[in-house]
Amino acid sequence: MKKLTIKDITLIGIMAAAVYVASAFLQIPIPTAIGSTRLHMGNVICLLSGMFLGASRGGFAAGIGSMFFDLTNPAYITSAPFTFLFKFIMAWLCGKIISNYSSIGLKTKFIIGATTGSFVYVFLYISKSFIKDHYILNLPLKAVILTVTQKAIISSVNAIISIIVAVFLGIILYPSVKKFLFKKI
Protein backbone atom coordinates (compact mmCIF):
# COMPACT_ATOMS: atom_id res chain seq x y z
CA MET A 1 0.00 0.00 0.00
CA LYS A 2 1.35 3.40 -0.92
CA LYS A 3 1.56 6.26 1.55
CA LEU A 4 -1.81 7.57 2.76
CA THR A 5 -2.62 11.13 1.74
CA ILE A 6 -5.02 13.54 3.43
CA LYS A 7 -7.46 12.77 0.59
CA ASP A 8 -7.15 9.00 1.29
CA ILE A 9 -7.76 9.50 5.01
CA THR A 10 -10.76 11.71 4.26
CA LEU A 11 -12.26 9.16 1.85
CA ILE A 12 -11.71 6.32 4.33
CA GLY A 13 -13.42 8.43 7.03
CA ILE A 14 -16.37 9.28 4.80
CA MET A 15 -16.90 5.65 3.79
CA ALA A 16 -16.41 4.47 7.41
CA ALA A 17 -19.11 6.93 8.50
CA ALA A 18 -21.40 5.65 5.73
CA VAL A 19 -20.78 2.04 6.88
CA TYR A 20 -21.63 3.04 10.46
CA VAL A 21 -24.84 4.84 9.46
CA ALA A 22 -26.00 2.01 7.19
CA SER A 23 -25.25 -0.55 9.93
CA ALA A 24 -26.93 1.42 12.71
CA PHE A 25 -29.99 2.86 11.03
CA LEU A 26 -30.80 0.61 8.06
CA GLN A 27 -31.37 -2.67 9.89
CA ILE A 28 -33.93 -5.23 10.95
CA PRO A 29 -33.01 -7.10 14.19
CA ILE A 30 -33.90 -10.82 14.19
CA PRO A 31 -33.91 -12.87 17.42
CA THR A 32 -32.24 -16.32 17.41
CA ALA A 33 -32.21 -19.21 19.88
CA ILE A 34 -29.17 -17.64 21.59
CA GLY A 35 -29.00 -13.86 21.15
CA SER A 36 -29.86 -12.19 17.88
CA THR A 37 -28.70 -11.34 14.37
CA ARG A 38 -29.90 -8.74 11.90
CA LEU A 39 -30.41 -7.79 8.31
CA HIS A 40 -28.64 -4.50 7.59
CA MET A 41 -27.27 -2.40 4.76
CA GLY A 42 -23.81 -1.88 6.29
CA ASN A 43 -22.40 -4.68 4.15
CA VAL A 44 -23.51 -2.86 1.00
CA ILE A 45 -21.32 0.08 1.96
CA CYS A 46 -18.48 -2.26 2.98
CA LEU A 47 -18.55 -3.73 -0.54
CA LEU A 48 -18.79 -0.29 -2.15
CA SER A 49 -15.77 0.75 -0.07
CA GLY A 50 -13.75 -2.06 -1.63
CA MET A 51 -15.08 -1.29 -5.11
CA PHE A 52 -14.39 2.45 -4.96
CA LEU A 53 -11.37 2.80 -2.66
CA GLY A 54 -9.53 -0.40 -3.50
CA ALA A 55 -8.48 -3.28 -1.28
CA SER A 56 -6.59 -1.68 1.61
CA ARG A 57 -8.37 1.67 1.87
CA GLY A 58 -11.76 0.04 1.33
CA GLY A 59 -10.89 -2.59 3.93
CA PHE A 60 -10.01 0.06 6.49
CA ALA A 61 -13.22 2.01 5.79
CA ALA A 62 -15.34 -1.14 6.14
CA GLY A 63 -13.52 -2.34 9.25
CA ILE A 64 -13.50 1.02 11.03
CA GLY A 65 -17.16 1.85 10.33
CA SER A 66 -18.34 -1.62 11.38
CA MET A 67 -16.11 -1.66 14.46
CA PHE A 68 -17.48 1.71 15.62
CA PHE A 69 -21.01 0.35 15.24
CA ASP A 70 -20.07 -2.55 17.53
CA LEU A 71 -18.36 -0.24 20.02
CA THR A 72 -21.51 1.89 20.32
CA ASN A 73 -23.85 -1.06 20.84
CA PRO A 74 -23.58 -3.01 24.12
CA ALA A 75 -24.85 -6.19 22.44
CA TYR A 76 -21.88 -6.24 20.04
CA ILE A 77 -19.06 -4.47 21.90
CA THR A 78 -17.04 -7.64 22.59
CA SER A 79 -17.16 -8.52 18.88
CA ALA A 80 -15.59 -5.23 17.75
CA PRO A 81 -12.07 -6.60 17.04
CA PHE A 82 -13.47 -9.54 15.06
CA THR A 83 -15.86 -7.27 13.21
CA PHE A 84 -13.02 -4.95 12.23
CA LEU A 85 -11.00 -7.89 10.88
CA PHE A 86 -13.88 -9.68 9.14
CA LYS A 87 -15.30 -6.55 7.47
CA PHE A 88 -11.78 -5.48 6.47
CA ILE A 89 -11.33 -8.88 4.78
CA MET A 90 -14.74 -8.57 3.07
CA ALA A 91 -13.95 -5.20 1.47
CA TRP A 92 -10.28 -6.09 0.89
CA LEU A 93 -11.20 -9.20 -1.10
CA CYS A 94 -13.80 -7.29 -3.09
CA GLY A 95 -11.33 -4.50 -3.90
CA LYS A 96 -8.46 -6.90 -4.64
CA ILE A 97 -10.52 -8.94 -7.10
CA ILE A 98 -11.75 -5.80 -8.87
CA SER A 99 -8.26 -4.33 -9.21
CA ASN A 100 -6.51 -7.57 -10.25
CA TYR A 101 -8.70 -8.82 -13.09
CA SER A 102 -8.33 -6.41 -15.97
CA SER A 103 -9.32 -8.95 -18.63
CA ILE A 104 -12.98 -9.20 -17.57
CA GLY A 105 -15.72 -6.59 -17.66
CA LEU A 106 -16.55 -4.24 -14.80
CA LYS A 107 -19.93 -5.84 -14.05
CA THR A 108 -18.37 -9.32 -13.85
CA LYS A 109 -15.54 -8.05 -11.61
CA PHE A 110 -18.08 -6.38 -9.30
CA ILE A 111 -20.18 -9.55 -9.10
CA ILE A 112 -17.18 -11.81 -8.41
CA GLY A 113 -15.62 -9.37 -5.93
CA ALA A 114 -18.85 -8.72 -4.03
CA THR A 115 -19.79 -12.40 -3.93
CA THR A 116 -16.36 -13.53 -2.74
CA GLY A 117 -16.10 -10.82 -0.09
CA SER A 118 -19.64 -11.39 1.17
CA PHE A 119 -19.49 -15.16 1.49
CA VAL A 120 -16.02 -15.19 3.03
CA TYR A 121 -17.44 -12.76 5.61
CA VAL A 122 -20.43 -15.08 6.26
CA PHE A 123 -18.06 -18.03 6.75
CA LEU A 124 -15.88 -16.06 9.21
CA TYR A 125 -18.91 -14.73 11.13
CA ILE A 126 -20.55 -18.16 11.42
CA SER A 127 -17.27 -19.82 12.42
CA LYS A 128 -16.67 -17.22 15.16
CA SER A 129 -20.25 -17.64 16.42
CA PHE A 130 -19.86 -21.42 16.64
CA ILE A 131 -16.47 -21.27 18.39
CA LYS A 132 -17.62 -18.61 20.87
CA ASP A 133 -20.95 -20.24 21.74
CA HIS A 134 -19.75 -23.84 21.92
CA TYR A 135 -16.14 -23.70 23.07
CA ILE A 136 -15.95 -20.49 25.08
CA LEU A 137 -19.47 -20.19 26.53
CA ASN A 138 -19.92 -23.99 26.69
CA LEU A 139 -23.50 -23.79 25.49
CA PRO A 140 -25.27 -27.03 24.52
CA LEU A 141 -24.34 -28.18 21.02
CA LYS A 142 -28.00 -28.44 19.96
CA ALA A 143 -28.67 -24.79 20.84
CA VAL A 144 -25.43 -23.68 19.19
CA ILE A 145 -26.24 -25.52 15.97
CA LEU A 146 -29.75 -24.03 15.94
CA THR A 147 -28.38 -20.51 16.46
CA VAL A 148 -25.57 -20.92 13.94
CA THR A 149 -28.03 -22.28 11.37
CA GLN A 150 -30.37 -19.31 11.92
CA LYS A 151 -27.46 -16.88 11.67
CA ALA A 152 -26.16 -18.62 8.53
CA ILE A 153 -29.55 -18.29 6.83
CA ILE A 154 -30.01 -14.63 7.79
CA SER A 155 -26.39 -13.79 6.96
CA SER A 156 -26.67 -15.51 3.57
CA VAL A 157 -29.83 -13.56 2.77
CA ASN A 158 -28.05 -10.40 3.91
CA ALA A 159 -25.08 -11.32 1.69
CA ILE A 160 -27.27 -11.86 -1.37
CA ILE A 161 -29.12 -8.58 -0.83
CA SER A 162 -25.79 -6.79 -0.26
CA ILE A 163 -24.29 -8.26 -3.43
CA ILE A 164 -27.27 -7.24 -5.56
CA VAL A 165 -27.51 -3.70 -4.16
CA ALA A 166 -23.73 -3.07 -4.10
CA VAL A 167 -23.22 -4.33 -7.67
CA PHE A 168 -26.16 -2.26 -8.90
CA LEU A 169 -24.98 0.91 -7.13
CA GLY A 170 -21.36 0.20 -7.98
CA ILE A 171 -22.01 -0.02 -11.70
CA ILE A 172 -24.12 3.13 -11.69
CA LEU A 173 -21.82 5.22 -9.47
CA TYR A 174 -18.39 3.91 -10.51
CA PRO A 175 -17.76 6.30 -13.44
CA SER A 176 -18.60 9.38 -11.37
CA VAL A 177 -16.77 8.18 -8.26
CA LYS A 178 -13.63 7.29 -10.23
CA LYS A 179 -13.68 10.68 -11.95
CA PHE A 180 -13.85 12.36 -8.52
CA LEU A 181 -11.21 10.10 -6.93
CA PHE A 182 -8.62 10.86 -9.60
CA LYS A 183 -9.38 14.59 -9.70
CA LYS A 184 -6.56 16.70 -8.29
CA ILE A 185 -7.67 18.81 -5.35
Side-chain angles (χ1 to χ4, degrees):
M1 185 167 97
K2 68 179 176 104
K3 184 179 169 186
L4 287 176
T5 65
I6 297 296
K7 183 178 178 181
D8 292 331
I9 294 168
T10 303
L11 292 170
I12 290 168
I14 289 168
M15 290 304 285
V19 168
Y20 175 85
V21 168
S23 297
F25 300 109
L26 301 175
Q27 67 169 310
I28 302 169
I30 300 170
T32 64
I34 305 169
S36 65
T37 191
R38 55 197 185 92
L39 282 172
H40 63 90
M41 292 291 106
N43 290 350
V44 171
I45 310 301
C46 288
L47 293 171
L48 288 173
S49 294
M51 290 174 182
F52 295 159
L53 302 181
S56 296
R57 288 166 186 76
F60 280 116
I64 291 167
S66 299
M67 178 186 68
F68 274 113
F69 170 75
D70 281 6
L71 290 173
T72 60
N73 187 323
Y76 301 112
I77 198 163
T78 59
S79 295
F82 297 102
T83 299
F84 174 83
L85 179 63
F86 297 169
K87 299 291 181 149
F88 178 94
I89 291 169
M90 170 198 270
W92 186 88
L93 280 170
C94 182
K96 199 68 165 167
I97 288 168
I98 289 166
S99 66
N100 281 351
Y101 291 97
S102 58
S103 62
I104 58 177
L106 186 65
K107 181 179 178 183
T108 304
K109 287 195 286 190
F110 279 7
I111 292 169
I112 294 169
T115 301
T116 303
S118 290
F119 282 103
V120 166
Y121 168 75
V122 170
F123 173 78
L124 292 169
Y125 171 67
I126 297 306
S127 298
K128 182 205 74 133
S129 295
F130 180 83
I131 291 166
K132 181 189 83 170
D133 290 347
H134 186 63
Y135 293 106
I136 296 171
L137 298 177
N138 288 324
L139 298 172
L141 184 59
K142 218 176 211 182
V144 171
I145 289 173
L146 176 62
T147 296
V148 167
T149 301
Q150 291 171 327
K151 286 183 176 186
I153 292 167
I154 299 301
S155 293
S156 295
V157 169
N158 201 28
I160 292 166
I161 292 168
S162 296
I163 293 163
I164 292 167
V165 174
V167 168
F168 176 76
L169 291 174
I171 290 168
I172 290 172
L173 298 174
Y174 189 77
S176 298
V177 169
K178 279 302 180 192
K179 194 180 297 182
F180 169 76
L181 290 178
F182 292 121
K183 184 178 180 181
K184 295 287 183 196
I185 297 177

